[in-house]
Amino acid sequence: MDQALPKTLRQTPYPLLIGGQEVPAASGATFASINPDNGEILAQVAQAGAEDVDRAVQAARLTFEGPWGRMTPKERSKALLRLAVALNDRAEMLAQIEMLDVGKPIKQSRASMAGLAPTLEYYAGVLLGMGGETINVSDPTIMDFTLREPLGVCGLIVPWNYPVSLAVLKLAPALAAGNTVVIKPSEVTPLSTTELGLAVLEAGIPPGVVNIVHGTGEEAGDALARHPGVAKISFTGGTVTGRKIFRAAADSIKRLTLELGGKSPLIVFADSDIDAAVTTAYNDMTRNTGQVCAACTRLVVERRVHDEFVEKLGKRMAQVRIGRPADEATEMGPIVNATQIKRIQAYLQVAGEEGVRTVRGVDLASRPELSKGYYIDPVLFLDADNSMRVAREEIFGPVQTVMTFDTEDDAVRIANDSPFGLAAAVFTRDAARSMRMVRKIQAGTVCVNHGAKAAVDAPFGGYKESGIGKERGMLAMLDDTQVKNVRYALV
């Protein structure tokens, strides 16, 4: 192990958290977490199996029916606020861990941690306003009203690109609604979520409210999705895995929130602020090394400004600061692991076979300090059309495909000709056109003249194969409840 690693990394295997206790896997099995900057082992992690998942679900159920279930909304709100404070206290440690485990540049990692407390504070506030309604039914002898009740145990399956941020984003509305949870972090980046478990205990949240089981999707994830004691699965990740979870959850008719893949379009009209559009494209390509589900990876540019747009974006790409994650100046770090970088390299070969023109951002051959890690430079695919694999399939890296259009209808057709519908961005100074585009584009989020596609206080989720249900905002919390109708006789 690299002796320069911060002392915040544990020297013993990272444990599971079950019923408020850090424990090894029942089998004693562990797996390695790898540093994408150099390919070396960061830590060993307990590898949960079906027995561990069952213990975690039972612990969550026991607490749901016990101390957590008896808490008032005000008490749950205060618990979330205490957790916000505990995570704020750990923000730098968590940022350092994800810098190592994900390969995220330290500035970006710190920015991720800055969002943890506001997420909890938001749900601590809105849960106090959650309630049912009275209904004026047609029968005057009946008083009819509804109650919103928690579901029970929620299984939260978290991806590798924003581990602790997305764990908190799922955990906060679930707890706000009164549920207990079992979190299954990605086996690729498991370390920061373990420290989230300690923060939960420090915040005085009852043991068993939050349980954490590390392990593979094939074993721990599948066991969680199939467990009859789990009322809901919330999953963020690829569409292929989402389909498997959908099938696994069907046996017990679980509630589902699935935030899946994307191939989001960035539509640039000739009358737009080209520099602003270029900045959005550049940020989506380089932020977290392009490993962002909602990133605009299809650049759909009006033919009249195509050359100007590509020239400006190419210049920005050539100046991107690729480097070690710990360097404060780094804008792009490594890809998360060897499997993912091989996937991206395979698409470079596909692009050649499909006849697109490739523009590369930076020559990394002269950077020997990066040779051990999973580094790649940003890539543009030019002269593409929407029938090509590089225009239709999610690559999940610093790769964007550029296509042209001539009319507004062309832009809409290209944008919607995709199995995905997670997000989109439109750049134009024509207000009427922008609203026509908003109405016609098939995506869960549409941004106009900016690229920030998500915020904690607004719903986020896709159309088509990009998923079902919403994360973030009030809707996420309501999706973690069930409605009970009460009909009370007045005679």
Side-chain angles (χ1 to χ4, degrees):
M1 185 179 292
D2 188 341
Q3 296 302 308
L5 296 182
K7 294 179 181 178
T8 50
L9 282 184
R10 303 189 188 195
Q11 301 304 306
T12 56
Y14 279 69
L16 315 177
L17 179 68
I18 299 177
Q21 299 294 318
E22 289 195 331
V23 295
S27 67
T30 63
F31 63 92
S33 179
I34 305 298
N35 186 342
D37 176 51
N38 55 26
E40 296 180 2
I41 294 175
L42 280 172
Q44 294 292 328
V45 184
Q47 183 169 331
E51 179 183 347
D52 302 295
V53 170
D54 181 64
R55 288 165 54 216
V57 173
Q58 298 300 335
R61 187 70 200 181
L62 188 65
T63 308
F64 173 74
E65 294 174 348
W68 189 248
R70 291 192 292 269
M71 279 192 176
T72 66
K74 186 68 172 180
E75 289 170 329
R76 290 203 307 276
S77 176
K78 289 180 178 180
L80 293 181
L81 293 174
R82 292 195 303 271
L83 180 55
V85 172
L87 288 176
N88 255 343
D89 292 343
R90 286 173 164 77
E92 180 60 22
M93 179 188 70
L94 292 169
Q96 294 286 337
I97 290 173
E98 289 203 357
M99 175 194 74
L100 293 163
D101 208 18
V102 186
K104 202 188 302 280
I106 187 59
K107 280 191 173 180
Q108 295 178 27
S109 190
R110 286 178 179 139
S112 295
M113 299 312 129
L116 300 181
T119 296
L120 291 156
E121 290 163 355
Y122 171 77
Y123 285 105
V126 298
L127 80 85
L128 297 174
M130 182 176 66
E133 61 178 343
T134 57
I135 302 172
N136 293 322
V137 294
S138 56
D139 186 344
T141 69
I142 295 292
M143 171 68 76
D144 195 294
F145 59 95
T146 63
L147 302 174
R148 279 202 174 268
E149 299 181 339
L151 299 170
V153 179
C154 295
L156 313 180
I157 303 178
V158 181
W160 48 257
N161 56 342
Y162 288 92
V164 77
S165 298
L166 291 177
V168 169
L169 194 66
K170 293 176 182 296
L171 172 151
L175 299 193
N179 302 288
T180 56
V181 302
V182 178
I183 303 173
K184 207 296 282 183
S186 169
E187 64 272 28
V188 177
T189 56
L191 304 186
S192 59
T193 310
T194 306
E195 303 303 339
L196 166 63
L198 284 184
V200 167
L201 298 180
E202 181 184 296
I205 293 174
V209 172
V210 176
N211 304 271
I212 300 171
V213 290
H214 300 293
T216 65
E218 291 80 5
E219 190 172 6
D222 185 70
L224 190 59
R226 294 183 185 279
H227 199 291
V230 174
K232 176 181 177 176
I233 293 290
S234 176
F235 168 77
T236 298
T239 299
V240 172
T241 305
R243 290 193 186 99
K244 293 179 181 177
I245 290 172
F246 205 129
R247 296 186 188 103
D251 287 343
S252 51
I253 318 295
K254 291 178 178 23
R255 294 282 194 92
L256 287 172
T257 296
L258 302 177
E259 200 265 272
L260 307 178
K263 194 75 173 178
S264 300
L266 170 64
I267 303 169
V268 183
F269 285 92
D271 70 337
S272 68
D273 181 338
I274 300 299
D275 290 335
V278 166
T279 295
T280 292
Y282 175 81
N283 289 340
D284 276 11
M285 176 184 286
T286 58
R287 186 176 72 256
N288 206 27
T289 318
Q291 299 167 125
V292 181
C293 58
C296 287
T297 53
R298 290 188 296 152
L299 309 182
V300 186
V301 184
E302 190 168 352
R303 195 179 305 276
R304 287 185 291 158
V305 293
H306 170 272
D307 292 350
E308 177 188 359
F309 179 89
V310 168
E311 180 183 4
K312 289 184 173 181
L313 182 55
K315 287 180 178 178
R316 292 286 299 273
M317 286 170 51
Q319 297 170 357
V320 63
R321 293 189 293 271
I322 300 175
R324 309 290 293 274
D327 188 338
E328 298 277 353
T330 294
E331 294 178 290
M332 261 183 61
I335 294 295
V336 74
N337 62 13
T339 300
Q340 187 62 19
I341 200 166
K342 287 176 183 177
R343 172 183 169 85
I344 295 168
Q345 290 166 341
Y347 275 103
L348 294 175
Q349 182 175 342
V350 169
E353 295 167 354
E354 292 185 319
V356 302
R357 183 160 51 97
T358 300
V359 175
R360 304 295 292 264
V362 178
D363 182 7
L364 297 180
S366 61
R367 302 285 302 279
E369 74 276 16
L370 307 181
S371 62
K372 293 183 179 180
Y374 309 128
Y375 287 88
I376 191 170
D377 56 307
V379 180
L380 281 181
F381 293 144
L382 305 180
D383 305 329
D385 66 64
N386 219 30
S387 68
M388 296 176 175
R389 287 182 60 192
V390 295
R392 302 191 68 80
E393 298 176 10
E394 186 175 38
I395 300 173
F396 221 63
V399 182
Q400 292 174 323
T401 301
V402 184
M403 296 173 280
T404 58
F405 70 91
D406 293 302
T407 68
E408 188 177 312
D409 287 343
D410 285 341
V412 171
R413 175 183 53 78
I414 294 170
N416 290 343
D417 182 14
S418 170
F420 300 110
L422 188 55
V426 178
F427 279 77
T428 177
R429 288 188 170 95
D430 186 326
R433 172 192 285 151
S434 70
M435 293 312 298
R436 289 195 298 270
M437 297 296 290
V438 164
R439 289 188 173 214
K440 292 177 181 178
I441 290 173
Q442 298 165 359
T445 297
V446 181
C447 302
V448 178
N449 294 329
H450 73 98
K453 302 172 189 71
V456 66
D457 43 10
F460 181 80
Y463 285 17
K464 298 186 281 188
E465 291 185 19
S466 287
I468 57 176
K470 297 295 181 183
E471 295 198 303
R472 308 175 190 260
M474 176 70 82
L475 284 180
M477 184 176 66
L478 297 182
D479 278 353
D480 289 340
T481 68
Q482 51 199 345
V483 177
K484 177 180 288 181
N485 185 232
V486 179
R487 294 173 60 80
Y488 195 102
L490 300 180
V491 293

